[in-house]
Amino acid sequence: MEDKLFSYGTVDNEIIKLLNDAIGANNVSRDDEKLETYSHDEVPSSTYDRPYKAEVLVFPESTEHVSSIIKIASTKHIPVTPRGAGTGLSGGALPAYGGIVMSFEKMNKILELDKDNLTITVEPGVVTAEISRLAAANNLLYAGDPCSGDASFIGGNIAENAGGNKVIKYGATSAQILALEVVLADGSVTWFGGKRRKDVTGLDFVHLLSGSEGILAVVTKAVLKLLPLPRYSVDILAAFKDVESAIAFVPRIITEASMVPASIEFLDRKAMKLAEDYLHTKVPAGEAGAALIIQLEDNEQEQIEKQYETIGKLSQEHGAYEVYIADTRSTKDRIWQARKSVPEAVSFFYSRYTKEDFVVPTNRVPDLLKLMRDTCGGHSLEWVAYGHVGDGNMHCTVFGPETDDWHDVLVQVQHEMYPKILELGGTLSGEHGIGFKRKSYMKYFLDKEQIELIKRVKLAFDPLNILNPGKLIDWE
Ligand code: MLT
Ligand code: ZN
């Protein structure tokens, strides 16, 4: 049964003709260079056992196009890998079994901004930051804020349930979705959800689909939630002499100041050094042992001033030796540019690394960092920690040694770490997804029953296994 699920047809001239007739030859490409470019995301290819390459690229312009492509794929048993902007961090857009890669770059329209219902309806190829910009121009907030927001597509954010910098206050992408138009694995089209803040009619497919990595259905439209735009926001950068005091301060922000900031981000010393080297500039608090970025929002100027004074004072009582308040566009940009440049700096300066996406209960973050220190120390490996500490979601990145077996060493380190992450009450990925990169490690975190259930859900949606096969679960 499993062999049959993975024995696919090849994309021959007959299939190309069917695709050309269905969506126009200008929306179909077999150009070799393009096939190569569209066959991976931001996970370094060296992470995988061999290169994986699409046989054909399609660029649908409408839901009807997507439906026609999937009907062809289903009749001919050809795998379809949906693709956003290629900013993914788990190999979700990798065509694991060749076949069709479906890029959403031509489905890039914002279809409606509905001020009465506080919703925005978009196609999957809209760049996330454009949604935020249009909302802000109308005094509204789209609260999804992944670090890759200037480049990533909303479709990819939905597929991965992208998190980012504002999850502590507003939730991840799934919390922003009210409805999805989807094409199912047989090419039929349906809507899940609607412009409604409540809905218990049937099962909650909207939230099952969000984060399902394109293995269940293909999203062709999304209705997203908007909120009033807070009038004032301030970013605080608190410099601590060491990681321990910075981390210890995080829960105090909520319990002692009784505030839920929009962001609480963490950078260790190495992360700040990476940002400085990459940006060729001094980062505020760049010499600190660790720093926190705390973003506060309010509608009243007086209130926001009170808030940052409270947090500033409290952070100093808890060991911050310097506190920067950024309340202008340029000072805020300076802080966030430093934070957001860390992952870019990692990929720029290193080719041998594994970027992890652990989440632990927030009070176990110190144990997580100790685990990293012990494990990496045991292998004499360098590492860096940055990320969404307010969510317990840390992007600990381990750098490979300068030896030929660097890949095996990193895999060994992962096998050592993962069971211990589970013991901390943690999990494998908070926002980057499982995709191709992490699927063989799912067994450490989910029991057999859950893995079997995922397989059954997958086959209920996609009995022929044509939608993004080879992701999320290991069928071997
Ligand atoms: C981030 O928080 O910077 C993003 O998740 C991206 C990354 O870690 O590469
Ligand atoms: Zn992140």
Side-chain angles (χ1 to χ4, degrees):
M1 147 100 162
E2 281 169 21
D3 280 355
K4 225 174 115 208
L5 281 179
F6 290 97
S7 53
Y8 295 105
T10 42
V11 177
D12 55 17
N13 288 340
E14 185 206 342
I15 290 172
I16 297 295
K17 180 166 180 343
L18 288 171
L19 290 170
N20 285 345
D21 291 348
I23 66 167
N26 59 321
N27 290 324
V28 179
S29 175
R30 276 209 280 186
D31 176 88
D32 202 53
E33 220 174 287
K34 266 191 165 177
L35 287 174
E36 180 57 45
T37 311
Y38 282 77
S39 290
H40 47 81
D41 58 15
E42 284 189 4
V43 178
S45 308
S46 55
T47 305
Y48 303 126
D49 54 337
R50 65 177 178 86
Y52 292 87
K53 199 163 160 189
E55 292 164 79
V56 62
L57 308 176
V58 292
F59 301 88
E61 294 182 39
S62 63
T63 302
E64 293 68 34
H65 279 181
V66 176
S67 164
S68 308
I69 296 160
I70 293 185
K71 277 183 187 150
I72 296 167
S74 136
T75 315
K76 301 290 181 186
H77 204 220
I78 305 291
V80 180
T81 304
R83 178 184 174 85
T87 56
L89 291 161
S90 54
L94 185 89
Y97 291 88
I100 299 170
V101 163
M102 188 190 288
S103 168
F104 280 96
E105 65 199 61
K106 292 189 179 174
M107 290 179 68
N108 59 358
K109 286 185 281 305
I110 296 183
L111 300 169
E112 183 197 48
L113 184 127
D114 179 344
K115 287 191 186 177
D116 292 336
N117 288 305
L118 290 175
T119 61
I120 188 161
T121 304
V122 295
E123 291 187 321
V126 177
V127 173
T128 314
E130 277 180 32
I131 301 173
S132 311
R133 275 197 291 271
L134 182 67
N138 287 276
N139 275 325
L140 294 167
L141 171 75
Y142 170 64
D145 184 31
C147 274
S148 60
D150 284 332
S152 65
F153 291 175
I154 187 68
N157 294 181
I158 294 168
E160 302 298 328
N161 190 12
N165 306 313
K166 292 191 172 162
V167 174
I168 186 167
K169 183 167 179 186
Y170 298 106
T173 301
S174 75
Q176 323 308 329
I177 309 172
L178 293 176
L180 295 173
E181 181 193 70
V182 299
V183 177
L184 299 174
D186 62 356
S188 56
V189 180
T190 189
W191 271 96
F192 297 138
K195 285 184 184 176
R196 313 180 271 267
R197 304 273 156 166
K198 289 171 109 175
D199 190 346
V200 291
T201 315
L203 295 180
D204 187 355
F205 286 126
V206 170
H207 294 104
L208 175 62
L209 262 281
S210 161
S212 65
E213 305 194 349
I215 71 164
L216 302 181
V218 178
V219 171
T220 44
K221 286 188 188 82
V223 180
L224 307 169
K225 208 189 275 180
L226 298 175
L227 294 163
L229 186 70
R231 284 209 191 98
Y232 299 97
S233 90
V234 161
D235 292 297
I236 298 172
L237 191 137
F240 292 82
K241 69 175 185 336
D242 54 40
V243 166
E244 288 71 24
S245 38
I247 298 286
F249 178 55
V250 174
R252 305 276 83 83
I253 299 170
I254 296 171
T255 55
E256 286 180 36
S258 301
M259 285 178 203
V260 180
S263 299
I264 311 179
E265 295 289 308
F266 171 86
L267 297 167
D268 73 3
R269 174 81 197 90
K270 183 164 175 74
M272 288 185 284
K273 175 88 177 66
L274 277 168
E276 288 190 329
D277 291 349
Y278 182 68
L279 298 170
H280 300 292
T281 178
K282 283 265 157 239
V283 163
E287 75 300 335
L292 296 177
I293 301 170
I294 304 157
Q295 185 174 82
L296 303 169
E297 299 172 330
D298 207 286
N299 283 335
E300 305 295 332
Q301 184 155 11
E302 221 176 277
Q303 286 305 322
I304 197 131
E305 282 168 7
K306 267 195 201 150
Q307 283 194 34
Y308 70 66
E309 276 163 21
T310 307
I311 295 288
K313 206 162 145 264
L314 200 62
S315 63
Q316 280 167 329
E317 282 165 23
H318 286 276
Y321 67 86
E322 216 156 340
V323 179
Y324 301 81
I325 309 286
D327 57 357
T328 62
R329 184 74 278 149
S330 65
T331 49
K332 282 158 164 289
D333 283 353
R334 229 176 128 215
I335 289 181
W336 281 101
Q337 205 189 18
R339 161 63 185 90
K340 291 186 181 182
S341 71
V342 179
E344 288 164 37
V346 166
S347 335
F348 184 79
F349 291 117
Y350 296 86
S351 55
R352 303 165 166 197
Y353 60 85
T354 175
K355 196 182 276 182
E356 300 294 336
D357 183 32
F358 305 129
V359 195
V360 293
T362 44
N363 69 344
R364 304 306 297 269
V365 173
D367 301 313
L368 169 66
L369 295 179
K370 182 175 179 320
L371 169 63
M372 293 302 302
R373 214 170 22 247
D374 293 349
T375 316
C376 294
H379 291 268
S380 309
L381 296 177
E382 267 189 82
W383 61 288
V384 61
Y386 63 96
H388 320 290
V389 66
D391 311 325
N393 181 197
M394 299 290 272
H395 300 311
C396 300
T397 300
V398 185
F399 300 107
E402 291 297 317
T403 53
D404 289 344
D405 65 345
W406 66 272
H407 187 255
D408 298 340
V409 174
L410 288 184
V411 169
Q412 196 190 329
V413 168
Q414 288 171 320
H415 281 286
E416 270 175 44
M417 277 185 314
Y418 292 158
K420 294 179 185 155
I421 297 286
L422 183 68
E423 278 169 27
L424 295 178
T427 195
L428 181 56
S429 175
E431 56 176 24
H432 294 171
I434 302 304
F436 196 66
K437 180 182 167 182
R438 300 188 172 89
K439 65 175 181 172
S440 59
Y441 302 117
M442 286 281 266
K443 58 178 182 278
Y444 287 120
F445 295 89
L446 301 186
D447 60 26
K448 261 204 200 120
E449 285 70 20
Q450 288 187 66
I451 289 176
E452 282 311 309
L453 193 55
I454 295 176
K455 290 182 179 174
R456 297 212 307 268
V457 172
K458 160 70 175 168
L459 294 180
F461 274 83
D462 179 18
L464 298 176
N465 195 30
I466 57 164
L467 298 181
N468 211 5
K471 309 297 163 62
L472 198 77
I473 19 173
D474 218 345
W475 292 77
E476 280 151 28

